[in-house]
Amino acid sequence: MAKDLKTRKSRVNTGTSIAPVFVMGLLSGLENKGIDIDGHLRQIGVDPVALRTPGHTGVTPMQYAALFYALMNDSKDECLGLFSRPFKPGSFALTAREGLSASDLRDAIKRMTSALNVLQDDITFSLQVQGDEAGMHMQATVPSGHIAPFAEETMVRVMWRLAAWLINVPLPVLHFSFTYPKPLQPELYDLVFPATRLYEQAAFGFWFKSSELKTPVSRDEPALRSFLTDAYTQVLSPPRNFGTVSQRVRNCLMRSYPQWPSLEEVASRIRTTPSSLQRHLAAEHTSLQWLKDDLRRDLAISRLSSSRVSLVQLASELGFSDSPTFQRAFKRWTGQTCGTYRAR
């Protein structure tokens, strides 16, 4: 029984749900400043009391992204109160553009750390090279010497993923470092930080082979503009790891787009029965409707970012009955209207 429970907990963050520890971390900065965020939770369909009850399974990735965008828009702080002064809107884009202007990963990290050191006062960022290892080193400078755990995790995750995006190839990490003690449920972090994790260190950051520093930056300005339309979801949310059957269903839906097959049609195409398909998806803690909405969200973001398609046409493509219904769904997914998102 204990083994089954542990297995289920480790699956909580594999694409269908984001564990409460990450949700509460997202809220921690603003809550510590005395800001009531329960209204934002209700707005995305989450019961604040239930979320704080032991055993809660968390929120969906779409709810997590919508919550982040809603809080960021209201607070005008891209780091949601985690630091002594706000990261004003545009801070992440500025940091990314500094990296984009570099010739290789070494130069990109140097430029980005310089930008980050201007944007905030709580951490000193630097590139460090020690023999065969290189890393983005993050040293707390606040008087207490203490940075909130979620702030450490956020900066490490965001900067690692941004660095990998800039060079357009995987950036395997040798180990992640954190200053706080090992968490109570370390398995929840396996997908978020997929390498050795060192705790109670003097500083935090991520380390990789120093030979990677020579990798050229291979993105361009159009790619960056597209990336920035939904960068927060890509670098902040824990990665989605669909189960075997879920991935087959998602692939089937993608091949069918702009048509949206029924449960019976999907089951037939992947050579199973509707009831068996539902059981398999339930075992992977998802459903056909969730996978469809997740894919529709991704497609909506892509189409709004890269085309001038009308909202009426896009609503039809995505299988919505009309444009207002699609626009309400999009705001629920991202925390923004279609017009605001397209303008950004």
Side-chain angles (χ1 to χ4, degrees), residues 17 19 36 57 66 84 118 138 149 151 164 170 201 218 240 250 255 278 300 335 341:
S17 184
D36 183 8
T57 57
S84 58
V118 172
M138 308 177 192
Q201 303 297 300
S218 58
R240 293 174 292 177
R250 183 181 169 88
R255 287 193 298 269
Q278 286 180 312
Y341 205 94

Side-chain angles (χ1 to χ4, degrees), residues 70-85:
L71 293 171
M72 183 186 69
N73 290 335
D74 281 359
S75 67
K76 302 297 185 288
D77 180 358
E78 292 184 350
C79 284
L80 306 185
L82 290 168
F83 296 98
S84 58
R85 62 184 172 107

Side-chain angles (χ1 to χ4, degrees), residues 243-262:
T244 302
V245 176
S246 300
Q247 187 62 63
R248 291 180 65 193
V249 171
R250 183 181 169 88
N251 292 343
C252 176
L253 293 172
M254 190 64 200
R255 287 193 298 269
S256 301
Y257 174 75
Q259 302 300 316
W260 296 98
S262 65

Side-chain angles (χ1 to χ4, degrees), residues 37-51:
I37 45 73
D38 285 1
H40 289 92
L41 290 170
R42 295 189 186 95
Q43 185 179 5
I44 64 166
V46 175
D47 182 345
V49 176
L51 178 66

